[in-house]
Amino acid sequence: MAKANSVSGGIQGAGPVPQAGDAAWYRFRMDRRQFLAAGLGALANGARAAAARPPSIVLIYADDVGYGDIGCYGAAGVKTPNLDRLAGGGLRFTNVHASSATCTPSRYSLLTGEYAWRHKGTGILPGDAPLIIEPGRTTLPSLLKDAGYRTGAVGKWHLGLGRDNVDWNGEIAPGPLDIGFDYCFLIPATGDRVPCVFVENRRVVGLDPADPIRVSYAEKFPGELTGKEHPELLKMLPSHGHDQAIVNGVSRIGYMTGGKSALWVDENIADTLTRKATGFIESHKAQPFFLYFATHDIHVPRLPDPRFAGRSSMGPRGDAIAELDWSVGEILACLDRNRLAQDTLVIFSSDNGPVVDDGYRDQAVEKLGSHKPAGPLRGGKYSIFDGGTRVPMIARWPGHIAADRMSAALISQVDLLAAFADLAGRRVPAGAAPDSTDVLPALLGRSGKARHSLVEHAGALGLVEGDWKYIEPGDGPRMNHNTNTELGNDPAPQLYNLSNDLGETHNLAAQFPERVKAMAAALERIKAGGH
């Protein structure tokens, strides 16, 4: 696998890179417009005639997978042959960021094209939260739906459902179907939060009306057992929190009662979600489709199917990575089986950086060994250091993206909305997706440049400009002692040169006060709605 030249930009092994404004770039733009409009144009490299329809898009959005957690990014404690094959057939990015260091805000930004920190109520949601994306606004799926795509969401949602006091026993609305998806099969929040049921379109799957579901995040229900009171009933003990309702021998966050026939079995979640994802592909193979496949793996509780036990040297966390890799392989096999691979852009990424102990005693700490979940980066999930938001991203589109390449282009996941709109030949409406930048040339490997700057979010905000990173002063704690994660908060400003200090170990703020001042001012302009 080729190695990136630097973190500042460029594609290695791809030959001369067309830049905006030059002749090669103009030819690429014209070829792609012809491809989208009439299906008669050719790509810039002339590899093959373009199909008469825009490409389908599969976005595989993993959970808590760090920069160093998979083989093609340097992982040694677990094998990920399918992800490695995906990277070998496409472009592997080294400077892509989730917009936030936790799940709900990253997902909000991805689907809306707006930094979540601009919008109140986008922190980590409880499982009974109302929908936080307003129906009627422009979203990534609504844009693609307007362009003729069939749109589906399968997997973890964690963006709220319904309005206040949602009734889990009736029609659940609003939800994904009200913001641009044609179909959904969901984990409502997270695996460690109630309700522990699947929702398909607007209803809980497998619910017995005679056994209605009730959910509370305030107080337990009379007669219901909790992990705190009855640890002897648990097959996986909590390490901190996670000691309330017991479902499938695991205690969760929050309380629920009823719905016994609808409860999931954790060990079957990956199989269930992957089957629904491949089913969506096969049902819509005759037309362009967009599949948002948000895996549960490798979020806690980590209870992969027993067939993955021992696939890694790292216990359940590593085995969950192996299970995730299997899910990716099933998606790729489905595309191959249905002769869709050549006409489908597949993107893999993660919602935030890694966490080892996130609430359960699953031997993740004890069996970590020499594995470095964040690779060379400092911090992880919950952290403003780059380990919190810099995540793996792989893009493959055979015949359109050159194989086995690396790119250091600076990209935020908030940019996927504008890039996908461009790919589908649509314009983002004025006022929509205010923070999304069209990075399609970099996404397809036609340019080694994308953004000049982006904002990272983990409570405090950080600004990345080229090789430099500024972190605003913050009064929060410096450590999350539950997860043993450095949060990056400091009452003084921080400045790092990522070109020679990727681990953010040397604060240069005192040496470069003018740069600190300029970057602080730039961050304030962005906060005020600028770019």
Side-chain angles (χ1 to χ4, degrees):
M1 188 73 68
K3 293 184 178 180
N5 294 317
S6 73
V7 301
S8 60
I11 301 172
Q12 186 164 59
V17 176
Q19 301 295 324
D22 68 18
W25 172 240
Y26 177 77
R27 287 194 300 272
F28 164 67
R29 296 287 290 188
M30 292 304 296
D31 286 342
R32 190 170 55 80
R33 287 172 182 170
Q34 292 169 2
F35 162 71
L36 293 170
L40 300 175
L43 292 173
N45 63 7
R48 66 181 182 90
R53 71 181 200 180
S56 293
I57 302 168
V58 175
L59 173 57
I60 305 172
Y61 205 47
D63 202 317
D64 292 351
V65 173
Y67 190 85
D69 267 334
I70 58 180
C72 54
Y73 281 82
V78 59
K79 296 185 183 300
T80 55
N82 294 302
L83 283 162
D84 297 349
R85 177 164 68 92
L86 185 69
L91 189 58
R92 177 162 54 102
F93 293 86
T94 61
N95 204 5
V96 166
H97 295 254
S99 70
S100 297
T102 52
C103 47
T104 295
S106 291
R107 293 160 197 270
Y108 176 91
S109 297
L110 178 102
L111 294 181
T112 65
E114 177 186 42
Y115 285 134
W117 48 264
R118 294 195 190 279
H119 191 80
K120 291 182 179 180
T122 58
I124 301 174
L125 296 181
D128 60 351
L131 180 68
I132 60 172
I133 298 177
E134 306 90 335
R137 73 175 295 173
T138 298
T139 64
L140 192 161
S142 73
L143 272 170
L144 293 178
K145 184 174 181 176
D146 289 345
Y149 282 70
R150 296 292 287 178
T151 57
V154 174
K156 175 180 170 179
W157 184 239
H158 210 187
L159 290 165
L161 290 170
R163 296 184 173 88
D164 291 332
N165 301 315
V166 63
D167 179 7
W168 298 100
N169 307 290
E171 183 174 273
I172 302 168
L177 304 189
D178 302 287
I179 64 164
F181 287 107
D182 295 306
Y183 170 80
C184 66
F185 187 94
L186 308 174
I187 293 173
T190 61
D192 58 346
R193 286 174 173 80
V194 300
C196 299
V197 296
F198 297 115
V199 172
E200 188 166 28
N201 293 328
R202 299 193 190 277
R203 292 191 177 271
V204 171
V205 176
L207 180 64
D208 179 358
D211 184 26
I213 295 172
R214 288 187 293 160
V215 171
S216 173
Y217 277 75
E219 56 185 2
K220 73 173 186 175
F221 296 98
E224 289 298 310
L225 305 181
T226 67
K228 183 176 182 178
E229 297 164 336
H230 293 279
E232 75 279 2
L233 300 178
L234 303 179
K235 60 185 177 184
M236 178 179 285
L237 293 170
S239 57
H240 50 88
H242 301 80
D243 60 0
Q244 297 173 335
I246 300 175
V247 176
N248 189 35
V250 181
S251 50
R252 319 282 169 155
I253 301 171
Y255 305 98
M256 73 174 291
T257 185
K260 295 294 189 292
S261 64
L263 298 175
W264 67 51
V265 175
D266 297 78
E267 292 86 348
N268 297 339
I269 287 177
D271 281 355
T272 300
L273 297 182
T274 304
R275 184 172 64 251
K276 290 293 181 179
T278 56
F280 178 85
I281 292 171
E282 291 176 340
S283 296
H284 300 289
K285 61 186 177 182
Q287 63 190 113
F289 60 83
F290 167 59
L291 172 62
Y292 171 60
F293 180 32
T295 70
H296 172 263
D297 288 323
I298 57 173
H299 197 280
V300 295
R302 301 170 185 130
L303 289 162
D305 185 277
R307 70 183 185 274
F308 295 100
R311 290 285 188 93
S312 76
S313 62
M314 297 185 291
R317 186 176 186 275
D319 295 347
I321 296 174
E323 183 175 68
L324 167 66
D325 184 73
W326 169 83
S327 293
V328 172
E330 290 296 294
I331 297 294
L332 300 182
C334 180
L335 295 174
D336 290 340
R337 184 169 62 249
N338 290 281
R339 299 182 179 179
L340 295 170
Q342 300 296 316
D343 300 314
T344 304
L345 170 63
V346 178
I347 292 180
F348 171 88
S349 197
S350 178
D351 63 346
N352 48 248
V355 61
V356 182
D357 177 358
D358 205 21
Y360 293 96
R361 301 182 200 174
D362 60 3
Q363 299 181 293
V365 175
E366 296 87 340
K367 293 193 172 185
L368 191 61
S370 61
H371 180 77
K372 296 182 179 180
L377 308 177
R378 187 177 182 184
K381 184 178 182 179
Y382 312 114
S383 174
I384 192 60
F385 292 127
D386 260 26
T389 63
R390 191 188 293 225
V391 291
M393 192 171 90
I394 303 166
R396 190 197 76 172
W397 185 13
H400 301 251
I401 296 176
D404 198 16
R405 298 294 187 265
M406 291 180 68
S407 172
L410 180 64
I411 295 174
S412 172
Q413 290 173 358
V414 76
D415 300 328
L416 292 181
L417 186 151
F420 288 174
D422 189 4
L423 185 66
R426 307 295 290 188
R427 291 184 180 274
V428 178
D435 298 302
S436 192
T437 298
D438 185 356
V439 297
L440 185 63
L443 192 65
L444 299 182
R446 302 295 171 178
S447 173
K449 302 291 184 181
R451 280 177 167 264
H452 171 67
S453 66
L454 58 75
V455 177
E456 300 174 324
H457 168 231
L461 298 180
L463 177 67
V464 177
E465 281 187 349
D467 291 336
W468 291 92
K469 176 174 174 179
Y470 163 78
I471 301 175
E472 65 181 356
D475 295 328
R478 297 198 177 197
M479 289 287 296
N480 182 326
H481 294 288
N482 286 330
T483 63
N484 197 33
T485 304
E486 288 186 282
L487 299 178
N489 295 314
D490 195 303
Q494 298 174 72
L495 180 71
Y496 300 98
N497 189 322
L498 300 177
S499 66
N500 55 30
D501 184 23
L502 195 58
E504 297 170 88
T505 58
H506 303 292
N507 183 2
L508 303 177
Q511 294 175 240
F512 297 95
E514 291 304 314
R515 181 173 291 276
V516 169
K517 182 178 178 181
M519 293 185 72
L523 180 57
E524 290 303 317
R525 287 194 297 272
I526 294 171
K527 287 183 185 180
H531 293 278

